[in-house]
Amino acid sequence: MPAYPGSAWRGLLGQGLRRTACVTRQPTCTGCLLVHSCVYSTLFETPAPAGQAAQGYTAMPHPFVLDIDPKVSTQLEPGADFDLVIHLMGNAIAQVPYLIHALAGAGERGIGTTRGRFRVCEVEREPGLGSERWERVFDAERGEYRPTGSGTPAIPAAPDAVILRLLTPLRIKREGRFVGAAELKSLDLLRVLYRRLRRLAELYGGYPDGFDARGLDVLAASLDLTPQHLRWHEWTRFSSRQNTLMQMGGLIGDILLEGRSVADVWPALWLGQWTHVGKGTAFGLGGYRVQAATSTEDTDRSLRTRTPTAEVLPKT
């Protein structure tokens, strides 16, 4: 597997789902009558609704996020098990059977430089975000999919100070250029996070009014951001669609947030663990975990870890 396999998995899933779902066999989704109802276009092209397309929007945020662990080994021996974590949002959760079928077909074709083949063994789902309770919804041996319902997320109490541990590159732009480690401000982070959460809620279900960006400058003014081991990490991927190498670097490290506004922005920070933030979220970029910190003087010893969770986890 490549050093960061998010791009490879996205390409493999997209190709597999297109083979599974596309009935017209057109070379592109542009001009297709089924573009707003096809599973593939809904997940991977995500066209703008008709009214918003007229306003200049060409595409919407995708209703899925790949949650890639960059520390997982890039080499697997035959017979080894591994997990692929996918966060699905809103109506996209109902498309799990299509994703299972797409993954099964993709596994026969292989992934990575050596086209390593794999098979889907089972799928587990966490019915409540952060519950750390998992239910098996698909078993390959039985060939049966048993969907489960979703509950309203129970957001835990806000800590006095919080650390965002950036697991994959965070790419945030300000005035047309990417923000570096020394330039990052709390308003940069809050603005893109609230905008993303509000857009996802509008498109796929939720409470968009809870992520109103108006007044963020006031909240940011009473929220101190302290970089901790924050650095720019460059990542290069090859785009088969554009037939060129693309730079996808971003910030890696820890961010300490403290101040009077922590409790106000805590729901957005907590939910952002499943939506990711910034550019390249469909590849798994902008992924982070929140951890509570009791003070700025001894943050390393005051971290309370939490287990990463996800909506859908196909185990292979």
Side-chain angles (χ1 to χ4, degrees):
M1 298 288 290
Y4 183 77
S7 177
W9 277 117
R10 185 187 184 279
L12 196 71
L13 273 171
Q15 294 169 13
L17 194 60
R18 186 176 180 86
R19 290 170 181 259
T20 299
C22 181
V23 297
T24 65
R25 303 304 176 190
Q26 292 182 195
T28 66
C29 297
T30 304
C32 179
L33 293 175
L34 305 178
V35 69
H36 290 287
S37 57
C38 173
V39 175
Y40 167 77
S41 61
T42 300
L43 288 177
F44 282 86
E45 301 293 339
T46 318
Q52 297 181 14
Q55 301 174 18
Y57 290 96
T58 57
M60 298 289 103
H62 303 304
F64 77 92
V65 166
L66 291 175
D67 195 0
I68 303 296
D69 184 353
K71 296 182 180 180
V72 170
S73 174
T74 59
Q75 297 188 24
L76 294 170
E77 296 296 329
D81 294 336
F82 67 96
D83 299 334
L84 174 64
V85 183
I86 307 175
H87 299 175
L88 294 173
M89 306 166 203
N91 293 335
I93 298 174
Q95 311 304 333
V96 171
Y98 285 95
L99 287 174
I100 294 173
H101 190 273
L103 272 173
E108 295 176 357
R109 292 185 294 275
I111 187 173
T113 55
T114 59
R115 310 308 298 176
R117 294 186 300 159
F118 63 90
R119 64 185 181 91
V120 179
C121 299
E122 66 180 37
V123 177
E124 293 178 347
R125 178 183 179 188
E126 186 187 39
L129 295 184
S131 68
E132 301 180 11
R133 180 175 61 86
W134 294 85
E135 299 177 353
R136 182 182 297 179
V137 295
F138 174 75
D139 188 324
E141 292 185 2
R142 297 182 178 181
E144 179 184 4
Y145 174 66
R146 301 179 300 277
T148 59
S150 298
T152 301
I155 300 176
D160 295 328
V162 61
I163 284 184
L164 271 65
R165 178 145 294 168
L166 305 180
L167 304 180
T168 55
L170 172 66
R171 295 164 57 82
I172 292 179
K173 274 189 172 183
R174 185 205 306 151
E175 297 179 352
R177 58 185 297 271
F178 286 106
V179 178
E183 308 164 297
L184 184 66
K185 301 181 182 301
S186 58
L187 185 58
D188 297 321
L189 178 66
L190 294 179
R191 182 179 287 131
V192 294
L193 177 59
Y194 270 65
R195 186 181 301 156
R196 175 163 171 77
L197 289 172
R198 182 178 181 85
R199 202 72 180 117
L200 290 171
E202 290 173 342
L203 291 169
Y204 308 117
Y207 306 96
D209 291 342
F211 307 109
D212 193 338
R214 292 175 296 183
L216 278 183
D217 53 342
V218 177
L219 292 177
S222 58
L223 191 66
D224 296 326
L225 184 151
T226 305
Q228 297 187 337
H229 312 294
L230 197 63
R231 66 190 187 282
W232 185 269
H233 175 77
E234 197 57 73
W235 172 55
T236 303
R237 78 175 185 91
F238 179 78
S239 173
S240 57
R241 177 177 297 184
Q242 301 183 35
N243 194 32
T244 186
L245 289 174
M246 301 184 67
Q247 300 298 321
M248 300 287 286
L251 296 175
I252 288 289
D254 295 346
I255 299 172
L256 172 66
L257 295 173
E258 55 186 345
R260 296 193 309 272
S261 297
V262 169
D264 297 312
V265 301
W266 170 249
L269 294 174
W270 188 81
L271 289 170
Q273 296 175 103
W274 290 275
T275 66
H276 292 199
V277 63
K279 294 185 174 296
T281 54
F283 300 102
L285 301 188
Y288 66 89
R289 298 289 183 267
V290 293
Q291 300 178 325
T294 57
S295 71
T296 59
E297 298 177 355
D298 196 15
T299 55
D300 286 341
R301 285 183 290 177
S302 64
L303 295 181
R304 296 198 298 270
T305 60
R306 63 180 301 277
T307 303
T309 52
E311 278 293 311
V312 180
L313 189 151
K315 184 174 290 184
T316 61

